[in-house]
Amino acid sequence: MQNVTPIYLCLFGLLFFTIVTAFAQSENEKPNIILIYVDDMGYNDLGCYGAIDPGIKTPNIDLLAAKGIRFTNYLSASNVCSPSRGAVLTGRYPQRNGLPVTPGPNDRPGFDLWNEHVGLPLSEITVVELLKSQGYATAAFGKWHLGKMDGFGPRQQGFDEYIGRLHNFHIGRAGTWYHNEDPVDEIKFSQAHQKLTDATIDFMERQQQNDKPFFIYLAHYLVHGPWSPNKEFCTPDEWASYQEKKGKMNPKIFPAMVRELDYHVGLVLQKLEELNIGKETMVILASDNGPWLPAGSAFPFSGGKYQTQEGGHRVPAIIRWPAGIPAEQVSDQLVSALDILPTIAAATRTLLPTDRKYDGYNLLPMMSGKEKLSPRKEFAYYNGLTLEAIRQVDWKLHLPRDPDLTASCVYWAKRRNKKLAAPMLNNLQSDKAEKIALDDQKKINELEAMAEIYREELGDWNRNGTNRPKSTYPGNLNTREVVVEK
């Protein structure tokens, strides 16, 4: 036995070293991150969300959901694109990060003064800037819409590389396509999607060769208009409808656009497996806001894009990370796009700056199964500068509003908002469509007090907040009107 003992000790020591080394390597490895941000996709616009339109088939996105966690109670930080995008990249409400409204198209006259001042401030620290400090290679591909290139462009916000068009495409017209700050082509909407997929795959391949973790912000132009799917994704009837409408609002061809989106998501997921990096890559797919009705659907919720009803904010959201979270999860816990940045920071062991307030929470404990409940219990529904509703778990209070009172209603909601003379209380657990006004004065008072706390920090249409930065625009952000000093 005396001769055997050293052998056992040696084997035990080797095993211990192997385990410790493997653990250390696992601790040091950083997950790749792909954030796929879809434009104007409603809650009911994917197969895995029970799409009622029989033309919507999304096998690739459905499989993504099956291999991760699908959220049924995920709220975008805004019901329009720019504030939503700024919030997901900063983890802060749009009213706090300085972009509560949308920059105007940079290729249309009349927006020069607006675009000089409206964009995501460079003082904001994006998730990209946090990850670069951890050695990540970073890229943004697709729709930017966070400000003009020479003042608020992607590479000024921390991205190593950018490919895309800053804004949406116009119906029937080509738009400028950029590589970094340089215009390199004029292309149409139908050409953009494959270019984004090619850029994403190329970037992944390059970073694997460089042995660097990567963060890709893949911001699709689909399923926003123009309603111009490529022919190979259309049925004969859908293509005939496109030929008739020529890119104008067209709910009939909307399913073809969703199928086209699914195809391109599938190509990216397939490449992850081919590169053998699927397990360690966190893939996040979410919509920026609700559907641009009548194209798309937010069923069973009311409203859509531009509105603070649930249909404007509650959107599909899926996270898959085989190395970090179990598969086959469906969560009805309240979460938000604001939680994406803190969750990514936790997954990459990145410390958040302490010089600013974050509005998001780390969802990893809940997604990994260590905790059952979401840390998020409340949410503020702003429309531009205006606080329109407040939520506490399943309770939601719509606040009084009057679209005829010009400055109280943000410009995109003027034709969609209805007058509300008194607060309206709903319970979303039993009333998803927000049709039943409840008479619970104690709860109304409680939520009104909560709304006042948000107003104190983030302001409202008629008051500044203690943590809302002052805009340099010489006018009213809600109306876009310039104030002429007398």
Side-chain angles (χ1 to χ4, degrees):
M1 291 295 291
Q2 291 178 346
N3 294 330
V4 177
T5 302
I7 295 176
Y8 280 123
L9 290 174
C10 181
L11 290 173
F12 177 77
L14 180 61
L15 178 62
F16 180 78
F17 175 78
T18 302
I19 293 172
V20 170
T21 302
F23 179 77
Q25 289 175 339
S26 175
E27 283 293 292
N28 291 327
E29 287 177 356
K30 304 287 188 182
N32 304 310
I33 313 284
I34 302 178
L35 173 56
I36 303 174
Y37 225 44
V38 183
D39 205 349
D40 288 3
M41 183 170 65
Y43 183 87
N44 193 243
D45 290 337
L46 292 174
C48 56
Y49 280 83
I52 56 178
D53 190 319
I56 290 180
K57 309 293 182 185
T58 52
N60 296 305
I61 296 175
D62 295 351
L63 183 59
L64 178 72
K67 292 186 175 182
I69 183 168
R70 178 170 66 86
F71 295 100
T72 62
N73 207 349
Y74 169 101
L75 300 177
S76 173
S78 175
N79 54 50
V80 293
C81 56
S82 300
S84 163
R85 292 161 194 271
V88 79
L89 292 178
T90 64
R92 287 151 58 87
Y93 276 109
Q95 294 68 32
R96 197 187 304 278
N97 69 31
L99 187 60
V101 291
T102 61
N106 59 355
D107 53 359
R108 282 184 176 175
F111 286 96
D112 290 350
L113 178 62
W114 181 258
N115 288 339
E116 282 296 320
H117 298 274
V118 177
L120 184 65
L122 299 185
S123 57
E124 286 298 303
I125 300 175
T126 64
V127 63
V128 187
E129 292 168 298
L130 294 177
L131 293 179
K132 284 189 73 172
S133 70
Q134 299 293 308
Y136 275 74
T138 62
F141 300 134
K143 181 176 175 178
W144 181 240
H145 213 181
L146 294 175
K148 63 178 187 169
M149 184 68 83
D150 60 355
F152 308 97
R155 299 217 301 162
Q156 292 175 278
Q157 300 285 8
F159 287 98
D160 295 324
E161 185 174 357
Y162 173 69
I163 292 175
R165 171 171 163 76
L166 294 180
H167 300 273
N168 292 105
F169 287 80
H170 303 305
I171 295 173
R173 287 168 45 194
T176 303
W177 194 254
Y178 286 88
H179 182 208
N180 295 332
E181 292 76 35
D182 302 319
V184 294
D185 204 354
E186 294 287 319
I187 71 167
K188 290 188 175 182
F189 174 80
S190 59
Q191 300 170 279
H193 323 310
Q194 188 63 53
K195 286 182 176 291
L196 297 185
T197 298
D198 292 344
T200 300
I201 289 174
D202 176 67
F203 192 81
M204 292 193 297
E205 290 176 334
R206 282 188 280 135
Q207 301 323 313
Q208 190 188 40
Q209 292 172 1
N210 297 336
D211 197 27
K212 289 194 70 172
F214 59 78
F215 174 89
I216 298 173
Y217 174 50
L218 174 54
H220 274 284
Y221 301 97
L222 292 164
V223 290
H224 190 291
W227 290 265
S228 306
N230 281 287
K231 185 175 182 179
E232 59 265 37
F233 298 98
C234 293
T235 65
D237 285 348
E238 288 169 341
W239 185 248
S241 180
Y242 164 70
Q243 294 288 84
E244 179 186 352
K245 295 283 189 178
K246 297 295 185 184
K248 295 179 181 178
M249 169 63 79
N250 188 355
K252 187 170 183 177
I253 55 88
F254 182 80
M257 298 174 70
V258 176
R259 296 194 298 268
E260 187 165 2
L261 168 73
D262 184 74
Y263 168 79
H264 286 286
V265 171
L267 291 180
V268 171
L269 298 179
Q270 179 182 337
K271 179 55 66 171
L272 286 175
E273 299 309 313
E274 291 175 3
L275 296 175
N276 198 30
I277 55 175
K279 182 178 179 181
E280 62 265 33
T281 300
M282 176 186 286
V283 179
I284 305 165
L285 183 144
S287 180
D288 62 344
N289 47 250
W292 189 354
L293 300 172
S297 171
F299 180 84
F301 305 104
S302 294
K305 183 178 181 178
Y306 307 119
Q307 298 171 300
T308 49
Q309 291 165 290
E310 284 298 286
H313 287 258
R314 197 182 301 204
V315 294
I318 297 163
I319 300 180
R320 187 196 75 178
W321 183 28
I325 62 174
E328 298 182 346
Q329 295 189 75
V330 178
S331 173
D332 66 351
Q333 290 292 298
L334 178 61
V335 298
S336 169
L338 297 165
D339 304 324
I340 297 296
L341 181 145
T343 300
I344 291 175
T348 58
R349 296 178 295 282
T350 302
L351 296 177
L352 295 180
T354 58
D355 66 338
R356 61 199 61 213
K357 180 173 180 176
Y358 286 91
D359 296 302
Y361 298 91
N362 170 22
L363 301 179
L364 276 186
M366 183 189 73
M367 294 194 301
S368 65
K370 293 180 180 178
E371 295 182 8
K372 292 183 178 181
L373 302 179
S374 169
R376 175 170 297 281
K377 306 301 179 188
E378 58 191 53
F379 184 83
Y381 297 75
Y382 272 89
N383 225 354
L385 298 179
T386 308
L387 181 60
E388 290 192 350
I390 196 78
R391 181 167 168 194
Q392 183 185 59
V393 193
D394 291 325
W395 293 100
K396 182 174 180 180
L397 184 71
H398 283 276
L399 301 166
R401 66 194 70 150
D402 184 357
D404 294 330
L405 191 59
T406 303
S408 72
C409 186
V410 68
Y411 53 88
W412 61 72
K414 290 294 290 182
R415 291 181 291 108
R416 296 171 177 86
N417 263 0
K418 296 181 179 180
K419 187 172 182 178
L420 188 63
M424 185 174 78
L425 179 67
N426 303 115
N427 187 288
L428 298 172
Q429 183 67 31
S430 56
D431 178 27
K432 290 180 171 58
E434 300 166 86
K435 300 294 186 184
I436 304 170
L438 300 175
D439 184 18
D440 185 336
Q441 194 59 48
K442 181 179 179 181
K443 180 57 68 173
I444 290 173
N445 293 343
E446 182 182 347
L447 291 177
E448 284 184 321
M450 184 186 298
E452 188 59 27
I453 293 172
Y454 277 95
R455 289 192 187 101
E456 181 67 26
E457 277 197 25
L458 302 180
D460 208 334
W461 69 272
N462 57 354
R463 62 189 281 190
N464 295 319
T466 58
N467 202 222
R468 187 175 81 187
K470 180 175 174 58
S471 173
T472 60
Y473 179 68
N476 189 301
L477 290 179
N478 258 8
T479 64
R480 291 196 290 210
E481 293 176 355
V482 175
V483 175
V484 180
E485 293 186 4
K486 297 181 180 180

